[in-house]
């Protein structure tokens, strides 16, 4: 950042936009007063030249990260009064790197959704408008829809999201920005409101690949308090991001991902192939055998874990308590009135697939297929270094358009398999649809290959020249 | 009557099973609670290795198979004392499987097989008796590590159950895994009981929950047994039920039957990865295992030559053995003599005065001084018993007390000879009787001499000198 | 796929669905369960379930006490408290 730009000026430029909340992308914007000290300290560090890696950078934070002393609702009524007394591991790293939080970004309730329409605080509006019907409010994607919209509208430099089955990559694609889901176990889940513990992963939504690298440098750390946090060696994800990658790169394109895909989407893949081919990159057709089963697997495992993770919301120790004559009534009323329709639906699915008589047929079977999916990726990664797919099967759609849950769930068809396998994936903008709406491509790397993945993404970003 | 027991033993660790909060009884409400314990959003469990060590020690002590691979699963149910809405427990892959204990049953040993033992979290506590309309929740106990030890239905009487439970308690206390304090709930039993006629299939069982004293266990079993028999004799059928034991009435009653039966929906906790224990870790724990009760018993009998029934009394409580073993290490008085004093007058005193056995630990030196005086005939056994209460209550040291109370025995031969000579004056008739073969007269003379010495004469010496003189 | 007992499922999940919603969720659940039923096509008899992509533990802590919050921190968000207790209507067993 330029030394001459004042931290306070930068902050108010973004904060003022956030306060206007044009697209409902914030559940809560932090008071200027509360940030005053952070701004001053940051400015001082710049003055003395010992500024930190993200010093003074205004960030949005998905309202799923617990932030000490700052309302954290998971966009749910049941947590709408909750003020954590602790700071999530990831947001703590961001604070330690000097960044300043603008506010808490709207998201789908408990991160369950692909359009940001399930939020208790109302839907987020995609800053983009279709050429053909510019009056329609479009969805930003979800569940990190508020984060994606906030970055796209320019009310924060970047935002922290979480991705369980595509919740960073899919909204990034629909809002024309970059979204990175790191390898499961890279960034601690400690202090993030849990949706599906074996899948949830924090990651950045940014304007460019390099910004994603900067944020990854800050948050990608081993955390002893998250048993699933990996203690592999972390790298510098930025310093060599624009350097030429060593050797010949092989990118697999799964043919089974491209059946029944509309022309706009196919064009993204074709175009990416074209612009990257002039580099030492070879494209190879690959085929997965488990793609057809990934969504089913996901929609058993994620709701099963969620049904249990959300049992703690009962109106007894925190959150909104609804009146009741007996204790049991308090439980029932707080939960029934506190959760929205989609959350209720997923709790019911999860309860069903874990219940006696169905556990083996659904939950256990899904866990087994999950292994097959993981193995399927490993087989493909024996042949190629990266995988290229569309991020989403379609462009941003109209708010209220997809009422049927299954057609909503199908939005995540390209992102869910990666999540089940725990692999890193990044969505970068690749072009516009015939309606003039942004579309993205997804690049998938092998475990903990974020450094190489970001190098490739930066190259693709440059060649695709989306921002120009 | 067919009975299986599920015993919950709280593990004696510093911190909780999945959080670093203190594992401590009797603190102020919610004092030992952190964000993990209170089930706050985003909080994650981290396993305490201390609990694994305690489980492995139990594995050695109860001859379990120690499983290198075990998995923590979530048991899902709603209760205000259960902040997460689930209990983290082990289900499909417990840490210990197939162990056993030998218990005393009708003068012989009976082997009680144990199906499994698994680690799990304890729940909090609600207090219902402060206010007529409200309950108050204290989460201090949340997350306390428990080892649930599940026996096969090998028990067939209340006596056997009590013997099994006390053997189990004894062993767990010996190996420092559990403090055994049943009043504080450190050890609780769920009793699964059914009845069957000889040769017939197992009947429907009822589970009586959370019994925390031997008395209640016995009462509950006897009541429940009668209840089931009565139902069957009247042509009824037993409904499978979870029962509560009412400690004031001594009766069992079914818990309010819920609209639907429970379905705990166990599944592997996605926040926790499977536990993989190495052989190296197991090997490291083995040498830390303390001497077990039955090993001690054999040693006391064979090495110390202490009678079996006295040995049994000492080993019944680990605290007893601590005191006893400290005593024998501090003196050359024979262990056998110490043992009989300990289970006799010393324990009687402890009981009468509401002492703890461990209170004796800082008095063993004085007690040993006293026993030494007795064994060296400085004072009589009777005098020793007289001094003991004063020594135990800290009123002084034995040597001073003997002098103060004037209880020192006269063992000075010349002094005793004088007394004896005086006693024989004018006893010619009795002396003749003795010499004529009447032993009874000897007792008379000893008594007379003791009286003349005001009880301080050493009876053994008096006896000896008397015989010498009389035979002349 | 057998019929879904929505009453039992919502009972287990501690949810009290209004009558009209019961049918709505029952149908929705039926659709979704039918949709995921394709997993039954796969023969997984030799496959070990995968609970988590990481399959071995790295974090096991030593048995040590750490206290870094006050009682107030824990009770701060309580809907009702009485002194240092959480307060709820009486539990009848
Ligand atoms: Mg039980
Ligand atoms: Zn248990």
């Amino acid at each position: 950042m330029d030394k001459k730009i004042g931290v306070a000026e930068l902050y108010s430029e973004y904060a003022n936009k956030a306060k206007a909340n044009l697209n409902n992308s914030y559940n809560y914007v932090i008071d200027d007063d509360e940030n005053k000290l952070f701004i001053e300290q940051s400015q001082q560090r710049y003055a003395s030249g010992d500024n930190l890696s993200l010093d003074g950078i205004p960030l949005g934070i998905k309202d799923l990260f617990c932030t000490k002393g700052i309302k954290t609702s998971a966009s749910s009524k049941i947590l709408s009064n909750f003020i954590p007394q602790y700071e999530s591991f990831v947001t703590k790293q961001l604070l330690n790197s000097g960044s300043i939080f603008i506010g808490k970004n709207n998201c789908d309730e408990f991160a369950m959704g692909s359009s940001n329409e399930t939020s208790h605080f109302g839907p987020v509006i995609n800053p983009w408008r279709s050429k053909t019907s510019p009056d329609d409010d479009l969805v930003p994607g979800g569940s990190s829809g508020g984060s994606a919209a906030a970055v796209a509208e320019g009310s924060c430099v970047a935002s922290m999201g979480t991705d369980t089955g595509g919740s960073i990559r899919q909204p990034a694609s629909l809002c024309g920005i970059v979204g990175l889901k790191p390898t499961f176990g890279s960034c601690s889940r400690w202090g993030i409101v849990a949706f599906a513990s074996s899948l949830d992963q924090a990651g950045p939504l940014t304007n460019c690949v390099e910004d994603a690298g900067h944020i990854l440098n800050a948050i990608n750390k081993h955390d002893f308090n998250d048993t699933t946090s990996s203690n592999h060696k972390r790298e510098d994800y930025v310093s060599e991001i624009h350097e030429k990658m060593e050797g010949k790169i092989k990118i697999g394109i799964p043919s089974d991902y491209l059946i029944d895909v509309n022309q706009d989407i196919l064009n993204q893949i074709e175009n990416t192939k074209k612009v990257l081919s002039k580099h030492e990159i070879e494209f190879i057709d690959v085929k997965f055998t488990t793609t057809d089963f990934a969504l089913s697997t996901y929609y058993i495992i994620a709701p099963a874990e969620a049904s249990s993770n959300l049992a703690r919301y009962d109106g007894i120790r925190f959150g909104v308590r609804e009146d009741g004559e007996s204790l049991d009534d308090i439980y029932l009323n707080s939960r029934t009135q506190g959760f929205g329709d989609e959350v209720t639906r997923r709790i019911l699915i999860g309860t069903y697939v874990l219940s006696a008589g169905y556990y083996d047929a659904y939950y256990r079977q899904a866990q087994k297929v999950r292994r097959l999916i993981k193995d399927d990726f490993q087989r493909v990664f024996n042949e190629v270094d990266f995988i290229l797919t569309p991020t989403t099967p379609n462009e941003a759609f109209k708010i209220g358009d997809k009422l049927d849950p299954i057609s909503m769930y199908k939005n995540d068809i390209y992102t869910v398999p990666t999540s089940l396998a725990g692999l890193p994936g990044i969505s970068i903008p690749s072009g516009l649809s015939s309606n003039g709406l942004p579309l993205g491509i997804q690049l998938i790397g092998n475990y903990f290959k974020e450094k190489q993945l970001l190098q490739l993404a930066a190259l693709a970003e440059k060649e695709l020249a989306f921002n120009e | 009557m067919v009975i299986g027991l599920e015993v919950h033993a709280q593990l004696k660790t510093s911190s909780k099973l999945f959080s670093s909060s203190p594992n401590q009884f009797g603190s102020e409400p919610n004092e030992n609670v952190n964000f993990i314990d209170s089930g706050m959003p985003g909080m994650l469990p981290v396993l305490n290795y201390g609990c694994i060590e305690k489980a492995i020690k139990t594995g050695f002590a109860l001859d379990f198979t120690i499983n290198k691979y075990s998995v923590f699963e979530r048991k899902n149910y709603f209760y205000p004392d259960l902040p997460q809405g689930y209990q983290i427990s082990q289900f499909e892959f417990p840490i210990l499987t197939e162990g056993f204990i030998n218990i005393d049953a009708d003068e012989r040993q009976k082997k009680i097989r144990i199906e499994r033992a698994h680690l799990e979290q304890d729940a909090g506590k609600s207090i219902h008796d402060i206010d007529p309309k409200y309950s108050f929740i204290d989460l201090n106990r949340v997350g306390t590590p428990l080892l649930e030890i599940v026996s096969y239905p090998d028990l067939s009487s209340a006596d056997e159950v009590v013997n099994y439970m006390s053997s189990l308690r004894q062993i767990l206390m010996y190996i420092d895994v559990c403090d055994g304090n049943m009043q504080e709930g450190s050890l609780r039993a769920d009793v699964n009981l059914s009845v069957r006629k000889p040769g017939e299939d197992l009947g429907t069982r009822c589970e009586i929950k959370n019994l925390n004293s031997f008395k209640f266990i016995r009462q509950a079993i006897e009541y429940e047994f009668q209840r089931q028999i009565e139902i069957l004799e009247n042509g009824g059928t037993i409904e499978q039920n979870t029962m509560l034991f009412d400690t004031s009435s001594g009766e069992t009653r079914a818990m309010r039957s819920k609209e639907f039966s429970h379905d705990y929906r166990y599944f592997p906790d996605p926040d926790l990865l499977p536990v993989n224990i190495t052989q190296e870790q197991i090997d490291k724990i083995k040498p830390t295992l303390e001497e077990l009760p039955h090993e001690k018993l054999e040693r006391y009998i064979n090495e110390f030559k202490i009678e079996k029934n006295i040995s049994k009394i000492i080993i019944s409580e680990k605290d007893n053995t601590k005191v006893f073993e400290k005593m024998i290490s501090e003196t050359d008085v024979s262990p056998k003599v110490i043992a009989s004093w300990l289970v006799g007058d010393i324990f009687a005193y402890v009981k009468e005065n509401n002492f703890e056995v461990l209170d004796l630990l800082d008095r063993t030196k004085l007690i040993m001084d006293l026993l030494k005086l007795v064994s060296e005939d400085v004072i009589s056994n009777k005098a020793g018993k007289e001094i003991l209460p004063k020594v135990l209550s800290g009123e002084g040291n034995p040597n001073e007390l003997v002098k103060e109370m004037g209880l020192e025995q006269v063992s000075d031969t010349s002094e005793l000879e004088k007394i004896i000579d005086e006693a024989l004056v004018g006893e010619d008739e009795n002396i003749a009787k003795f010499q004529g073969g009447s032993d009874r007269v000897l007792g008379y003379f000893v008594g007379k001499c003791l009286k003349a010495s005001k009880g301080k004469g050493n009876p053994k010496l008096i006896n000896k000198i008397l015989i010498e003189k009389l035979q002349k | 796929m057998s019929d879904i007992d929505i009453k039992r499922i919502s009972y287990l999940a501690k949810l009290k669905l209004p009558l009209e919603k019961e049918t709505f969720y029952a149908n929705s659940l039926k659709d979704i369960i039918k949709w995921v039923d394709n997993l039954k096509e796969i023969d997984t008899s030799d496959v070990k379930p995968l609970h988590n992509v990481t399959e071995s533990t790295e974090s096991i802590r030593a048995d040590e006490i750490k206290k870094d919050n006050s009682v107030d921190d824990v009770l701060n968000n309580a809907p009702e408290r009485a002194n240092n207790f959480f307060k709820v209507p009486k539990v009848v067993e």
Side-chain angles (χ1 to χ4, degrees), chain A residues 83 85 184 224 231 292 296 317-318 321 328 333 335-336 341 345 358 362 365 367-368 371 421, chain C residues 2 13-14 16 21 25 28 37-40 42 44 47-50 52-53 55 77-78 80 87:
Chain A
I83 300 173
Q85 304 301 303
F184 183 83
F224 187 82
N231 62 7
D292 288 346
S296 301
R317 285 150 288 108
F318 52 81
R321 175 185 292 187
D328 206 47
N333 295 341
R335 289 173 60 77
T336 309
D341 282 353
R345 188 192 335 267
Y358 303 103
Y362 294 103
Q365 176 72 351
Q367 298 278 41
K368 290 175 162 191
R371 185 178 295 279
Chain C
S2 40
K14 267 285 186 253
K16 186 169 74 186
K21 286 237 167 166
Y25 282 117
S28 180
D37 252 348
N38 68 334
L39 289 194
K40 291 181 177 160
I42 312 173
T44 55
V47 185
K48 216 182 119 202
L50 179 68
N52 208 303
V53 287
E55 290 183 87
N77 279 280
E80 264 192 285
K87 186 177 166 189

Side-chain angles (χ1 to χ4, degrees), chain B residues 24 39 146-147 166 174 206-207 275 302 319 333-335 342 353-354 368 379 382 389 430 436 454 464:
Chain B
Q24 206 172 70
L146 297 174
L147 191 68
S166 58
Y174 265 74
C206 285
E207 181 181 23
V275 181
N302 298 330
D319 290 352
V333 178
S334 93
L342 187 64
N353 294 280
N354 284 323
M368 283 311 102
I379 57 171
K382 193 164 149 274
N430 279 325
K454 295 191 183 98
K464 194 176 148 228

Side-chain angles (χ1 to χ4, degrees), chain A residues 2-136:
Chain A
D2 192 333
K3 254 194 195 178
K4 278 171 276 178
I5 295 181
V7 175
E9 286 82 347
L10 185 77
Y11 173 79
S12 26
E13 193 188 320
Y14 284 94
N16 288 340
K17 264 193 195 163
K19 279 177 217 154
N21 208 8
L22 290 176
N23 296 307
N24 199 27
S25 48
Y26 289 85
N27 287 342
Y28 180 73
V29 178
I30 295 169
D31 268 1
D32 289 354
D33 280 355
E34 282 178 64
N35 271 330
K36 212 173 146 220
L37 190 66
F38 289 122
I39 294 166
E40 283 170 11
Q41 286 171 343
S42 176
Q43 192 70 72
Q44 272 165 24
R45 286 192 295 266
Y46 273 108
S48 61
D50 49 10
N51 49 304
L52 303 162
S53 64
L54 298 174
D55 229 326
I57 303 293
L59 296 181
I61 303 294
K62 187 181 188 177
D63 202 7
L64 206 66
F65 290 84
C66 290
T67 39
K68 190 172 180 174
I70 296 169
K71 272 189 174 182
T72 300
S73 74
S75 291
S76 181
K77 184 182 172 194
I78 206 163
L79 274 185
S80 52
N81 61 357
F82 180 60
I83 300 173
Q85 304 301 303
Y86 47 91
E87 187 75 37
S88 85
F89 181 88
V90 159
T91 48
K92 186 172 234 159
Q93 306 314 308
L94 292 170
L95 290 172
N96 290 346
S97 302
S99 65
I100 295 166
F101 298 165
I102 293 277
K104 304 298 287 284
N105 288 125
N106 198 343
C107 58
D108 277 305
E109 185 180 5
F110 284 103
M112 296 177 194
S114 304
S115 64
N116 216 126
E117 292 170 287
T118 71
S119 167
H120 173 63
F121 302 103
V124 174
I125 300 161
N126 193 322
W128 289 78
R129 300 262 145 186
S130 155
K131 274 199 306 209
T132 45
S133 48
D135 293 337
D136 289 343

Side-chain angles (χ1 to χ4, degrees), chain B residues 327-341:
Chain B
M327 285 175 166
I328 59 176
S329 72
E330 284 172 348
T331 181
D332 48 14
V333 178
S334 93
K336 197 177 161 166
V337 169
I338 298 174
S340 79
W341 274 83

Side-chain angles (χ1 to χ4, degrees), chain A residues 170-330:
Chain A
Q170 189 254 12
S173 168
L174 300 195
C175 290
I177 61 167
V178 172
L180 169 69
K181 180 201 94 76
T183 309
F184 183 83
S186 293
C187 307
S188 169
R189 293 182 294 114
W190 197 91
I192 302 172
V193 176
F195 162 16
S197 312
S198 77
L199 295 156
D200 295 346
Q201 176 59 55
L205 293 101
T206 57
N207 280 304
C208 64
V209 175
E210 191 179 323
D211 283 357
H214 281 295
I215 291 192
L216 192 62
N217 273 348
I219 63 173
N220 190 353
K221 295 202 168 104
H222 175 242
D223 177 12
F224 187 82
N225 292 319
D226 173 0
T227 299
T228 60
S229 167
S230 161
N231 62 7
H232 74 282
K233 194 176 151 284
R234 267 68 177 180
E235 292 172 279
D236 185 328
Y237 300 99
V238 177
S239 57
E240 294 165 31
I241 199 166
H242 297 298
E243 277 175 29
K244 190 174 175 304
M245 300 172 78
E246 275 170 44
K248 192 163 174 84
I249 307 292
K250 287 187 201 159
I251 299 179
I253 300 180
S255 53
D256 49 294
Y257 276 45
L258 301 175
I259 303 163
D260 295 333
V261 172
N262 74 49
Q263 196 54 48
D264 274 345
I265 301 291
L266 277 179
N267 290 345
Q268 307 310 308
I269 299 296
E270 283 312 310
N271 190 36
T272 307
K273 233 168 121 173
K274 199 180 82 200
V275 299
L276 285 179
S277 290
K278 59 186 168 192
H279 299 275
E280 265 183 279
I281 292 174
E282 183 190 350
F283 288 90
I284 297 170
D285 276 348
V286 294
K287 194 171 182 310
F288 288 100
T289 59
T290 54
T291 307
D292 288 346
F293 306 103
L295 280 175
S296 301
T297 304
Y298 177 85
Y299 276 98
I300 290 169
I301 292 173
E305 292 182 10
S307 71
S308 175
N309 281 336
L310 269 60
R312 67 187 60 202
Y313 306 105
D314 54 18
I316 306 297
R317 285 150 288 108
F318 52 81
V320 176
R321 175 185 292 187
E322 299 291 344
D323 280 343
E325 306 233 314
S326 67
L327 182 68
D328 206 47
D329 283 347
I330 286 187

Side-chain angles (χ1 to χ4, degrees), chain B residues 6 8 75 148 190 192 207 209:
Chain B
E6 293 165 26
H8 285 94
K75 179 182 183 178
E148 181 176 339
D190 299 343
N192 286 291
E207 181 181 23
K209 284 269 192 211

Side-chain angles (χ1 to χ4, degrees), chain C residues 5-77:
Chain C
D5 184 350
I6 194 75
K7 278 199 162 59
R8 178 172 163 76
I9 299 297
S10 49
Y11 163 81
L12 290 174
K14 267 285 186 253
L15 294 166
K16 186 169 74 186
L17 305 178
L19 224 52
E20 72 278 9
K21 286 237 167 166
E22 251 178 35
T23 329
F24 165 76
Y25 282 117
N27 290 334
S28 180
L29 232 68
K30 216 176 276 180
D31 289 344
I32 292 164
I33 296 299
K34 206 158 89 190
W35 178 59
V36 301
D37 252 348
N38 68 334
L39 289 194
K40 291 181 177 160
E41 294 165 21
I42 312 173
D43 178 8
T44 55
S45 41
D46 298 332
V47 185
K48 216 182 119 202
L50 179 68
H51 309 307
N52 208 303
V53 287
T54 327
E55 290 183 87
S56 68
T57 326
E58 283 159 355
S59 300
I60 296 187
R61 62 182 179 82
D63 182 18
E64 279 160 14
I65 295 173
K66 230 164 56 192
K67 275 186 103 166
D68 34 28
N69 62 277
S70 65
V71 180
D72 267 334
D73 287 337
V74 163
L75 283 145
N76 197 282
N77 279 280

